[in-house]
Amino acid sequence: MNHWKISRTVSSLVAAAMLTLFTGGAATAADTPANFPKGNVTIEIWWHEYGPFTAYVKELIQAYKSVRPNVTVNPVVTSSGDINQKLTVALATGTGPDIMDQDASFYELYYAKGVLEPLNLEVFGAKSYDEVLARYTPGGLAAGTFGGKIYALPYQGNSMSLFLSNKAFEAAGLSPVKDAPRTWNDMIALGPKLKKVQGNRTVQKAFDFPYHSPRWEMQMFQPLVEQFGGKLLSDDGKTAYLNSPEAVKALTLWRDVTKATGDPKTTMNTPSNPNQDFIDGRTAMWVTGPWATSQIRQSQLKDGFTVVSYPQVDPAKPHTIVYGWMWGVNKAKPEANKIVAWDFIRFMLSKPEEWLAKAAFVQPVKGVSETPVAKSFPFFDVHMRDVATASWYIRSEFTNEIGQAVGRAIERTVYDGVDPKASLDQAQAEIDKVLKK
Amino acid sequence: MPVAPLPTQAPRPATAPAAPSAGRRRLRLSLSAKQAAFGIAILLPTLAVLAIFRFLPMIEAFYLSLTAYDLVHPPKFVGLANFVSLAQDPLFLKSARVSLTYVLFSVVPVLPLSLGLAVLFNRSLFIKNVLRSAVFMPVVMPAVVMAVVWTFMYQQDGVINTLLGWLGIDPIPWLRSSSSALWAVILIGIWRATPYYMVIFLAGLQAIPADYYDAAEIDGAGDWAKFWHITLPLLKPTTLLVIVMNVIVAMKVFAVPLIMTGGGPADSTRVLPLFIYQTAFEFFDMGRAAAMSVFLFVGVMLFSFIQVRMFTRGDEQR
Amino acid sequence: MSPGAAPTASRRVPAPPPRGWARRAKRHRTVIAAFCTLVGVACITLLPFYWMFSSSLRTMENMFSIPIQWIPDPLNWQSYVLAWQAQDFTRYFLNSGFVAVAITLSNLLLCSLAGYSLTKFHFRGRGLMFILILSTMMLPLEVTMVPLFLIIKQLDWANSYQGLIVPFLVDGFGVFLMRQYMLSIPKDLIDSARIDGASELRIFWMIVLPLCKPALVALAVFTFREAWDMYIWPLIIITKDSLRTLPLGISLFMSSYGTSWDQLMAIAVLGTLPMILLFFFLQRAFIQGIAATGLKE
């Protein structure tokens, strides 16, 4: 597993200096690299719709025009629920974009299919991939590095932390600071106080695991397994351990937490709006990332929320997860386009503090937390603490299959009362078949 | 292509109307050749569009079912391997079962419901036009909108459970339970399909000349007798259309489960088209996805074929 | 339906009164039963519309209130303004409208021509043609999409109105519908027109088409809805914002921020409105179609 740890001991001075180095490096790289095409080039970039993100990337496209007047960048925005299908058909028919945007968990599959162009070192003013890696936090590029080469760069590598609704806590006579749960057992204990039931209806859940997509179910299941000291996949990605004792413990705990705090029968969350229940005030506690901050502030919750660390089995041995999306370059495009594409990615990512300010996305580059933006960002220290103990989503060519099998296992146990061991045995059998191929 | 000419077409010349007198036959021959040419000519634009945009992709899809194709690398011919592995895949079999359940329970009730409504609307009634428009409304709701609105209504403390509460029924978790989610999706299917086919039945009913009924009335036939002996037999072509279309549409249902449940919980609403979609675009296994749709194709084709045969036996001479 | 009411009615009628009166009473009962049934059905069919509309006017605070708020108070018209401004919906509406009208008109013409050909003309392979046309409906778009896209790419029609319209100029369903309907048009009618010396096209246009009005109206509504609904196909072939259709706009809107239920429902109402208007417009033709049936002999 790839952990990326931000050392809390790094002094702010050193970190600030490094950030200057990084952005400064970007500024010098903006002097046209030697291999940059002289003629007119048009590239297409696709990304998934999310209000603040779309607005910022459009701004970046405008700004890029003044740096590279011979380049035209065509933006295509697609809803997050649809981008996979659109991208897949496009890749299959050779019509895809020059720059693609996808959930980090897809990139191993894309790499295995050979559709990705490795990062252009010359454009990044680097001699080796290690030089680029060094600009990022340890493990920060793990989800985009294959066979020693970098194939994708994250524009967000967000921690997942526990968000609390102050209103819900105060209404129950609790303090969102003092009474915040640290462990899953705390969570179970808080359940009855924050879960509101009217007759046979749950009108407010204390907490709930996500049930709107296997992608999210897996994302929450993985750290639970790791907190019990297990793992879901061997390092080479060839063997799955979906029914290990640790996984069974994780699913059992999942079921128990759900019973005490949640109600899987009520959710309005969807893959494109995973935070809906929390925003609507129907869940008192919810696990999500810093990116949700702007969304939450625009909702009826306004600033009435508190963020605490991801709940643990044992707070002494914390494990969390990173949720990220990355830019990649389409290998099928002409050489000139690929150089321009990497140059535009470099340009876009060169101001991590702007990404944080405008889209609330955290880039896993060194020194972000020392910027003024980070200092004024609500609960940034919590996010950084959590991201320091985080793994990326399991990496496999068969991530989608594994995610679905785990999601089904969870749903069998939670919805149909199937014994966790039996449920996970079935998932293991399903995945063994897939991995054998 | 696994299609053969309709066997029922063969005996037609024998049963063709022998109306024209023998003396005019020679004249008619050349005329009928001319007419046939016209008949073919007006079919051509349809055939051309369908050939390019339907048949070609279909043939390609059939071919892909015999290959290993990951959408990126060129397809590799593997013979029947996809079919063999599908036949042993419990996930595929489960999905096929979900699809069959969906088809059965969303088709069977729609037939009597839509015909019944059409018959009721085919008589004179107080504010008939208003009522008919109201009943027809589900047809005009766009699918994306429908999925969103019903998801909203199906929630635990939503409007449907509130109404059920008035009747003293406990809230049903609708989409959020593996035992009720499929029924929730089926209900929407019925809600949407019934008025759709009602209109088709209504169009069919209006084509029945009124004097048939007048004559029956003089003979003293009651409502039921008229329905059984005039309406139903004369509605045969329409009924065939409704049954076949209903099955095809139900078998291909996709957008609603995709948006509303994504196939869950625990696979309970993963109909075949959804599984095909996931196999192709999430697992990058187009060969397998194509093989699944060949199963689908053969199933629906066989069903339609039997229906067409049953219904066209001997009543095409008109 | 009436069967429940009918026998009771006849049983209660005392024997002596004249037959005409008994029949009328019975008819009355049946009509009332039919009326009540239809009102009940209409409530079920309209509920989602009412809920969509009322939710669009509910404020977010009242959206999930328990007990639920049947009549929104206060009224929140603002949701419509905000939703409309969130995306370029004017453009998406125009695109969807143009594409849907083009597809509908062409289907009306081509499907009725094909249906006419398949019912009133005898030529070899007619049955085969019918089965082939039927078969085009039986593969899901999910598997034919990639090959179809390659054809569109070859024609250089990605990102164009042609790409959105031409593959759907005619549809198996429409042909099937028109064929089944035309089976009931008496052949003598056409034959006698031929004897009168009318040209084939004229017969089709002046005699056959007017008789098909109810079926044409049904076809128009269905085709228009299918085209207005098109989602996966435009998603795949369109990358220009200016060519986006309405369902894509709605989907984009849904994933833009958290779902503002009031605004989402407002867009849902607006997205359904053109369909409702079209239906009411065609409803008149529908009624005329009924009136015309008297002539059909």
Side-chain angles (χ1 to χ4, degrees):
Chain A
M1 283 296 139
N2 304 285
H3 293 271
W4 53 292
K5 297 186 162 59
I6 292 182
S7 168
R8 304 285 296 159
T9 57
V10 174
S11 77
S12 64
L13 209 84
V14 173
M18 279 201 296
L19 185 72
T20 322
L21 204 85
F22 180 74
T23 48
T28 45
D31 306 333
T32 321
N35 57 357
F36 201 81
K38 306 273 183 298
N40 287 339
V41 177
T42 301
I43 59 167
E44 196 162 281
I45 174 170
W46 292 9
W47 72 84
H48 78 282
E49 167 70 356
Y50 172 61
F53 170 46
T54 295
Y56 181 46
V57 178
K58 285 193 169 157
E59 222 174 273
L60 286 167
I61 290 173
Q62 279 301 315
Y64 190 64
K65 236 182 211 150
S66 54
V67 187
R68 305 270 189 252
N70 61 331
V71 175
T72 311
V73 180
N74 285 333
V76 178
V77 194
T78 306
S79 82
S80 54
D82 297 333
I83 196 160
N84 176 52
Q85 182 171 19
K86 187 171 173 67
L87 196 54
T88 309
V89 175
L91 291 174
T93 51
T95 54
D98 299 274
I99 301 177
M100 58 184 107
D101 161 35
Q102 183 57 287
D103 186 317
S105 62
F106 276 84
Y107 278 90
E108 174 105 27
L109 172 64
Y110 290 167
Y111 169 70
K113 299 297 177 200
V115 298
L116 296 174
E117 172 77 6
L119 179 139
N120 189 309
L121 287 171
E122 204 169 334
V123 165
F124 277 74
K127 298 248 166 354
S128 68
Y129 290 106
D130 284 338
E131 222 180 299
V132 180
L133 280 171
R135 296 170 190 171
Y136 282 79
T137 53
L141 291 188
T145 311
F146 310 102
K149 286 187 181 176
I150 300 168
Y151 284 86
L153 288 180
Y155 57 84
Q156 53 169 325
N158 295 294
S159 56
M160 296 293 274
S161 306
L162 188 66
F163 283 63
L164 316 173
S165 154
N166 294 352
K167 200 165 89 187
F169 266 71
E170 279 150 19
L174 298 167
S175 150
V177 182
K178 274 198 306 215
D179 299 310
R182 294 178 65 224
T183 65
W184 292 109
N185 281 334
D186 294 349
M187 201 73 134
I188 292 174
L190 270 177
K193 293 177 197 159
L194 287 168
K195 186 167 159 179
K196 282 202 277 182
V197 180
Q198 271 180 19
N200 41 20
R201 291 179 183 177
T202 310
V203 294
Q204 179 182 291
K205 296 179 278 184
F207 166 77
D208 212 354
F209 283 107
Y211 293 105
H212 55 270
S213 76
R215 174 72 186 70
W216 272 69
E217 285 165 323
M218 180 69 175
Q219 180 167 295
M220 294 283 298
F221 189 65
Q222 183 184 328
L224 260 188
V225 174
E226 287 170 16
Q227 290 179 10
F228 277 111
K231 56 181 173 180
L232 289 168
L233 203 62
S234 63
D235 290 336
D236 63 1
K238 297 227 158 57
T239 320
Y241 312 113
L242 304 187
N243 58 350
S244 67
E246 293 83 4
V248 174
K249 275 188 216 166
L251 184 51
T252 311
L253 179 64
W254 179 301
R255 183 191 62 193
D256 296 345
V257 170
T258 291
K259 258 186 207 150
T261 65
D263 181 353
K265 294 198 291 293
T266 65
T267 180
M268 296 292 280
N269 294 343
T270 64
S272 43
N273 293 304
N275 304 316
Q276 195 66 42
D277 280 350
F278 185 68
I279 287 173
D280 289 342
R282 293 143 60 86
T283 302
M285 299 182 273
W286 176 243
V287 166
T288 186
W291 57 275
T293 303
S294 57
Q295 212 176 23
I296 293 170
R297 283 176 140 176
Q298 281 191 2
S299 76
Q300 46 95 24
L301 285 168
K302 307 228 162 51
D303 279 318
F305 67 99
T306 304
V307 184
V308 298
S309 275
Y310 197 95
Q312 299 294 329
V313 168
D314 175 4
K317 284 183 258 164
H319 283 273
T320 62
I321 192 153
V322 203
Y323 168 74
W325 286 67
M326 310 199 283
W327 298 121
V329 172
N330 186 349
K331 193 178 178 181
K333 295 286 165 175
E335 206 52 41
N337 287 43
K338 292 192 278 197
I339 293 169
V340 172
W342 274 117
D343 187 62
F344 183 57
I345 292 178
R346 178 203 53 73
F347 176 81
M348 281 195 292
L349 296 178
S350 60
K351 292 194 180 109
E353 69 282 5
E354 270 191 19
W355 281 87
L356 186 57
K358 296 193 170 163
F361 290 166
V362 184
Q363 268 188 59
V365 285
K366 285 175 181 162
V368 177
S369 48
E370 311 307 332
T371 58
V373 178
K375 288 197 166 123
S376 62
F377 192 94
F379 307 101
F380 199 76
D381 53 330
V382 179
H383 294 304
M384 283 299 109
R385 212 162 47 230
D386 276 343
V387 89
T389 59
S391 320
W392 286 91
Y393 198 86
I394 51 153
R395 275 180 43 184
S396 159
E397 191 186 331
F398 303 106
T399 308
N400 287 324
E401 282 95 327
I402 298 171
Q404 284 208 358
V406 168
R408 278 195 296 270
I410 291 170
E411 287 170 11
R412 276 194 296 269
T413 294
V414 172
Y415 288 108
D416 302 338
V418 174
D419 171 66
K421 174 81 168 74
S423 201
L424 288 167
D425 282 345
Q426 190 179 332
Q428 177 71 24
E430 285 167 13
I431 288 308
D432 276 345
K433 234 193 215 164
V434 173
L435 291 177
K436 239 181 259 158
K437 273 197 275 187
Chain B
M1 205 149 295
V3 280
L6 253 186
T8 45
Q9 303 295 338
R12 194 192 311 95
T15 57
S21 67
R24 276 163 64 185
R25 184 148 284 173
R26 187 164 301 161
L27 181 70
R28 263 190 75 84
L29 263 179
S30 64
L31 251 181
S32 73
K34 243 182 170 172
Q35 281 169 15
F38 179 79
I40 294 169
I42 59 176
L43 191 58
L44 280 180
T46 296
L47 288 180
V49 172
L50 291 179
I52 298 170
F53 298 106
R54 296 290 190 284
F55 292 135
L56 282 182
M58 267 168 67
I59 292 166
E60 173 86 19
F62 286 132
Y63 167 68
L64 289 178
S65 71
L66 303 174
T67 66
Y69 177 40
D70 67 359
L71 285 168
V72 179
H73 302 100
K76 257 201 318 264
F77 187 81
V78 294
L80 294 173
N82 287 324
F83 293 94
V84 174
S85 99
L86 274 182
Q88 303 158 346
D89 180 359
L91 295 178
F92 169 70
L93 298 176
K94 162 116 199 247
S95 177
R97 215 162 40 236
V98 170
S99 254
L100 280 179
T101 313
Y102 180 87
V103 171
L104 187 66
F105 288 95
S106 66
V107 168
V108 171
V110 163
L111 202 63
L113 280 175
S114 53
L115 178 57
L117 286 172
V119 169
L120 288 187
F121 276 125
N122 202 37
R123 54 166 71 218
S124 49
L125 263 187
F126 179 55
I127 60 167
K128 178 166 90 172
N129 291 339
V130 175
L131 281 176
R132 192 178 45 205
S133 306
V135 171
F136 185 73
M137 279 297 115
V139 177
V140 304
M141 193 182 256
V144 179
V145 169
M146 185 172 71
V148 170
V149 172
W150 277 91
T151 307
F152 196 60
M153 298 200 331
Y154 269 145
Q155 58 170 313
Q156 190 70 0
D157 43 11
V159 63
I160 294 182
N161 277 341
T162 302
L163 289 175
L164 290 180
W166 292 356
L167 301 173
I169 299 170
D170 279 345
I172 296 171
W174 295 114
L175 298 171
R176 310 304 318 173
S177 152
S178 52
S179 49
S180 60
L182 184 59
W183 300 107
V185 175
I186 286 174
L187 271 182
I188 302 176
I190 296 175
W191 178 78
R192 166 101 135 177
T194 301
Y196 194 104
Y197 297 114
M198 173 193 87
V199 169
I200 294 179
F201 271 128
L202 212 46
L205 284 175
Q206 286 162 19
I208 300 176
D211 52 351
Y212 283 27
Y213 291 108
D214 295 343
E217 207 144 313
I218 291 165
D219 294 347
D223 282 352
W224 275 108
K226 283 190 273 181
F227 179 74
W228 277 113
H229 298 296
I230 301 173
T231 314
L232 266 191
L234 288 173
L235 273 184
K236 247 175 148 184
T238 314
T239 313
L240 168 70
L241 171 82
V242 171
I243 293 178
V244 171
M245 277 317 298
N246 213 340
V247 167
I248 293 175
V249 170
M251 206 64 203
K252 289 193 341 192
V253 67
F254 171 66
V256 168
L258 175 76
I259 298 173
M260 294 184 73
T261 63
D267 265 4
S268 57
T269 56
R270 187 157 73 170
V271 289
L272 217 40
L274 194 55
F275 196 30
I276 291 171
Y277 163 84
Q278 288 176 341
T279 306
F281 300 110
E282 285 176 20
F283 311 155
F284 279 60
D285 199 343
M286 188 47 111
R288 202 177 167 82
M292 287 186 206
S293 37
V294 169
F295 272 113
L296 194 85
F297 180 90
V298 171
V300 184
M301 200 67 198
L302 220 65
F303 175 83
S304 318
F305 194 70
I306 293 169
Q307 290 297 317
V308 170
R309 257 194 91 164
M310 270 170 53
F311 273 82
T312 34
R313 190 163 296 156
D315 68 358
E316 270 211 20
Q317 65 269 59
R318 281 240 278 161
Chain C
M1 289 246 286
S2 50
T8 351
S10 48
R11 215 181 305 127
R12 276 192 200 157
V13 172
R19 260 185 67 98
W21 187 85
R23 276 180 78 117
R24 254 208 312 281
K26 186 181 158 190
R27 241 191 213 154
H28 239 76
R29 300 244 170 181
T30 342
V31 166
I32 289 171
F35 182 74
C36 293
T37 312
L38 292 175
V39 169
V41 172
C43 287
I44 296 173
T45 54
L46 289 184
L47 175 70
F49 287 87
Y50 176 72
W51 202 244
M52 169 171 79
F53 182 61
S54 65
S55 299
S56 72
L57 296 177
R58 215 169 275 133
T59 57
M60 274 310 284
E61 287 75 45
N62 294 330
M63 199 59 79
F64 297 103
S65 62
I66 293 178
I68 57 175
Q69 206 185 40
W70 284 96
I71 297 163
D73 178 45
L75 287 180
N76 166 31
W77 292 102
Q78 193 61 22
S79 58
Y80 284 81
V81 181
L82 290 174
W84 192 263
Q85 287 165 348
Q87 300 281 344
D88 192 0
F89 278 117
T90 318
R91 182 84 212 188
Y92 304 158
F93 263 82
L94 290 176
N95 285 339
S96 275
F98 174 65
V99 169
V101 167
I103 290 178
T104 306
L105 290 179
S106 127
N107 266 277
L108 286 178
L109 180 68
L110 294 184
C111 294
S112 44
L113 278 174
Y116 186 45
S117 162
L118 289 174
T119 47
K120 303 298 174 212
F121 295 89
H122 294 284
F123 50 87
R124 280 188 57 170
R126 190 178 81 162
L128 175 69
M129 289 302 152
F130 175 50
I131 289 293
L132 277 178
I133 290 171
L134 270 190
S135 75
T136 59
M137 293 184 289
M138 294 175 194
L139 268 192
L141 181 63
E142 293 84 71
V143 289
T144 50
M145 188 157 51
V146 170
L148 183 57
F149 187 89
L150 285 171
I151 293 170
I152 293 295
K153 187 184 152 197
Q154 219 131 57
L155 293 166
D156 204 14
W157 283 358
N159 262 325
S160 71
Y161 285 113
Q162 302 93 285
L164 286 174
I165 294 169
V166 177
F168 306 98
L169 282 179
V170 65
D171 185 74
F173 165 69
V175 177
F176 191 19
L177 175 75
M178 294 316 293
R179 174 193 182 266
Q180 296 309 97
Y181 192 81
M182 286 180 180
L183 282 176
S184 65
I185 294 177
K187 186 118 203 286
D188 323 349
L189 212 63
I190 296 159
D191 283 339
S192 59
R194 280 181 187 143
I195 289 164
D196 292 347
S199 75
E200 292 293 339
L201 262 182
R202 200 180 146 80
I203 294 172
F204 171 73
W205 198 256
M206 304 298 289
I207 295 171
V208 177
L209 268 193
L211 285 177
C212 291
K213 225 170 185 176
L216 285 172
V217 171
L219 180 61
V221 174
F222 300 151
T223 311
F224 191 90
R225 190 206 57 193
E226 291 301 307
W228 184 256
D229 248 15
M230 265 210 293
Y231 181 60
I232 301 282
W233 183 246
L235 169 74
I236 301 301
I237 72 156
I238 295 302
T239 53
K240 272 195 203 142
D241 192 43
S242 60
L243 285 171
R244 240 190 263 274
T245 55
L246 184 67
L248 291 183
I250 294 180
S251 154
L252 210 57
F253 178 74
M254 279 163 70
S255 75
S256 180
Y257 288 86
T259 302
S260 245
W261 291 105
D262 52 342
Q263 293 180 34
L264 182 61
M265 292 299 157
I267 280 300
V269 169
L270 294 174
T272 312
L273 215 54
M275 286 296 313
I276 296 180
L277 290 178
L278 175 87
F279 172 67
F280 278 106
F281 174 70
L282 287 175
Q283 168 89 357
R284 295 188 51 151
F286 217 63
I287 295 162
Q288 284 163 6
I290 298 163
T293 44
L295 301 170
K296 270 188 207 165
E297 268 143 83

